[in-house]
Amino acid sequence: MPTLVLLRHGQSEWNLENRFTGWWDVDLTEQGVEEARAAGRLLKDKGYDLDRCFTSLQTRAIRTLNLVLEEMGRLWLPVTKAWELNERHYGGLTGLNKAETIARVGEEQVKVWRRSFDVPPPLLEAGSDYDVALDRRYAGIAVPGTESLKDTIARVLPYFENHIAPALTAGDRVIVAAHGNSLRALEKYLSRIADEDIVSLEIPTGEPIVYELGDDFAVRERYYLKDR
């Protein structure tokens, strides 16, 4: 079984502003662009190559992947974009500053919304400025009003099993450029991480994570590429 590379997008504008982002579409910061380019250079310098690429429908992940492929001289590779790889939907928290939200409702409540496995944030109000239900890219998709990590996993894993896993089985070297929570879903599955432990797994922006897989997707090795 070939290699699977997981990559969280580079720093986004709302990462920098410490805001809940979710399905809202924001771009990379200058630092995020450099993080993506550095990831591409690292992959190339370490002798890695790719055959198939998967990403979400969100700009920060798409641009990250494009910048990686540009640095690798692989912009011609096939790329599949899927809403199932989007970030977790943060519902009514979308757009809010995290520190200000803690000050308003308390640290414990925000911790429950952010770090519990199956408790979603409040629903996004109808007509909110951050409602993407009418965004053309989501035509025909039942856009959620909020999601827990459990909900996110429930859409990411079937996509992995139906699209990404067959590419790996066919021998393709695959990169998935996505988001903190959609990548948590994949790491939970591949590394068999318990429900209570997966919420505390931190995935830094712009750092390629490499999975060397065996039969039935058994993990032979999992490491940050910068450490090799």
Side-chain angles (χ1 to χ4, degrees):
M1 190 73 69
T3 299
L4 170 65
V5 178
L6 304 182
L7 181 64
R8 184 182 176 192
H9 60 78
Q11 184 193 62
S12 75
E13 293 168 343
W14 281 15
N15 290 148
L16 180 62
E17 296 175 14
N18 197 32
R19 299 168 74 180
F20 291 100
T21 313
W23 279 41
W24 191 247
D25 205 30
V26 299
D27 206 345
L28 300 175
T29 61
E30 290 185 9
Q31 177 179 322
V33 168
E34 180 50 36
E35 287 176 353
R37 290 193 179 279
R41 290 194 296 269
L42 183 61
L43 283 160
K44 183 177 181 179
D45 291 346
K46 295 283 187 177
Y48 284 76
D49 205 349
L50 302 166
D51 301 298
R52 290 285 305 279
C53 313
F54 295 86
T55 189
S56 71
L57 295 187
Q58 299 184 273
T59 297
R60 56 195 185 273
I62 295 168
R63 283 199 70 202
T64 294
L65 178 59
N66 287 345
L67 291 164
V68 166
L69 297 180
E70 181 178 342
E71 291 294 328
M72 297 180 71
R74 292 292 183 267
L75 277 170
W76 49 267
L77 283 175
V79 175
T80 302
K81 303 181 182 75
W83 69 269
E84 290 92 341
L85 297 175
N86 275 17
E87 176 59 289
R88 170 189 173 190
H89 197 302
Y90 274 105
L93 300 181
T94 304
L96 298 181
N97 178 277
K98 295 173 185 177
E100 291 174 359
T101 305
I102 289 172
R104 188 168 69 251
V105 303
E107 184 174 358
E108 285 304 311
Q109 180 60 73
V110 173
K111 185 177 179 181
V112 168
W113 288 333
R114 292 190 66 195
R115 294 305 187 189
S116 64
F117 179 69
D118 56 3
V119 179
L123 282 167
L124 187 70
E125 292 185 10
S128 165
D129 290 342
Y130 301 119
D131 186 358
V132 299
L134 298 181
D135 190 315
R136 179 182 168 192
R137 82 189 81 180
Y138 301 120
I141 295 169
V143 175
T146 186
E147 287 181 312
S148 64
L149 178 56
K150 182 179 180 180
D151 296 327
T152 307
I153 292 169
R155 60 171 161 85
V156 172
L157 287 192
Y159 185 83
F160 175 83
E161 292 168 350
N162 293 326
H163 300 277
I164 300 172
L168 291 164
T169 302
D172 289 341
R173 296 160 294 184
V174 173
I175 185 170
V176 178
H179 308 264
N181 284 294
S182 49
L183 294 179
R184 277 192 184 96
L186 295 180
E187 293 233 55
K188 185 181 192 305
Y189 171 77
L190 293 168
S191 296
R192 295 174 171 80
I193 301 172
D195 294 354
E196 61 270 20
D197 296 328
I198 189 60
V199 293
S200 61
L201 176 67
E202 295 294 340
I203 301 176
T205 57
E207 295 285 354
I209 300 169
V210 178
Y211 273 88
E212 302 288 352
L213 301 170
D215 294 339
D216 297 324
F217 301 105
V219 178
R220 292 177 176 170
E221 282 194 275
R222 182 263 193 201
Y223 52 88
Y224 283 96
L225 188 56
K226 67 178 182 179
D227 297 330
R228 291 300 176 98

